[in-house]
Amino acid sequence: MSTSFANPLPFQSALPAAVVSLVSAAWLSLGAIAPNAASAQQLLAQSQPVASPQAQPLEPTKPNSLESSVFSISGGQRLMSESMTAISQQNYDQAVTKLQDARQVFNQLSNFYQELTTSFSGIDNRISDSHRRKALQTAQLRDEATYQLAVVYRAKNQPELAVPLLIQLIRSQAPTRDLGSQAYQQLFELGFVDAQFVRPNAAAPK
């Protein structure tokens, strides 16, 4: 797949509140732990044990799952499905909100999987390749959400919002791929470009 994720698109839409809380909490935790690690260990050694319920260890075969969270591939796909339902009901405002959330989730996931790919490269290629595939998958899903969002903006008679998304999509996908070609066709139909593009045949004519 030729989808590029080395330079992810700068999306402006905000994450859903649940995702913002999740990501913010994670970064605050990381920032607080590192500089105070030594003092925290000293306090732990000096503190008296406090009676508290024992945490149950996770089953090795059932790791903690984000599948029910919006911050996951399945969570983004649920947002996409909900947006399609809204479109079928001509509820375009709700469709816009769902698609903006979906593309932001997929973009964040693609960035994180890309970072994991780089981190494990040369250390464990099996893990690196697994994360690379997920980075590509989520980048593709992000672009699909982007295309649908541009189409909804056209339906809402807001071409000024659709055009930037379509151009971003062409840059991400390239004009020779399905989504890139469809995005350019949208620009042609909008009158933003006046030269129609016909993809070259896969096989050269004899």
Side-chain angles (χ1 to χ4, degrees):
M1 178 179 291
S2 64
T3 301
S4 171
F5 57 85
N7 295 302
L9 303 180
F11 292 149
Q12 301 299 322
S13 59
L15 281 170
V19 179
V20 172
S21 299
L22 175 64
V23 176
S24 298
W27 281 111
L28 287 173
S29 298
L30 288 172
I33 290 172
N36 298 313
S39 60
Q41 292 175 3
Q42 293 170 0
L43 290 171
L44 181 62
Q46 296 170 2
S47 63
Q48 296 298 322
V50 178
S52 61
Q54 292 295 319
Q56 296 299 319
L58 294 172
E59 297 180 29
T61 57
K62 297 178 65 176
N64 193 19
S65 176
L66 287 172
E67 291 302 306
S68 60
S69 166
V70 70
F71 195 60
S72 62
I73 293 177
S74 60
Q77 289 173 328
R78 283 194 298 273
L79 288 169
M80 288 282 287
S81 177
E82 291 167 4
S83 74
M84 295 300 103
T85 300
I87 290 172
S88 68
Q89 297 170 351
Q90 296 186 347
N91 188 345
Y92 296 133
D93 289 338
Q94 185 181 54
V96 165
T97 299
K98 296 291 184 181
L99 288 168
Q100 286 175 337
D101 291 346
R103 71 195 288 264
Q104 183 69 4
V105 166
F106 288 136
N107 190 59
Q108 289 281 1
L109 290 174
S110 183
N111 289 343
F112 291 147
Y113 283 127
Q114 180 186 348
E115 291 177 9
L116 287 171
T117 299
T118 302
S119 296
F120 280 92
S121 180
I123 297 174
D124 191 323
N125 289 334
R126 177 184 57 85
I127 294 178
S128 181
D129 288 344
S130 173
H131 295 316
R132 179 179 178 276
R133 287 192 296 272
K134 285 193 173 182
L136 290 168
Q137 177 189 6
T138 48
Q140 179 69 21
L141 289 168
R142 175 201 65 202
D143 288 351
E144 291 174 5
T146 300
Y147 180 78
Q148 292 298 334
L149 181 58
V151 171
V152 172
Y153 280 140
R154 279 199 64 184
K156 285 169 60 67
N157 197 27
Q158 294 178 306
E160 71 280 2
L161 299 178
V163 167
L165 296 178
L166 294 169
I167 292 175
Q168 288 179 0
L169 188 53
I170 292 169
R171 185 173 71 241
S172 176
Q173 289 280 321
T176 53
R177 303 187 67 218
D178 287 343
L179 273 179
S181 177
Q182 292 170 18
Y184 188 84
Q185 179 63 26
Q186 292 284 333
L187 291 176
F188 181 77
E189 293 175 4
L190 283 167
F192 186 78
V193 297
D194 55 13
Q196 192 165 16
F197 173 69
V198 179
R199 284 196 296 173
N201 295 330
K206 296 181 180 180

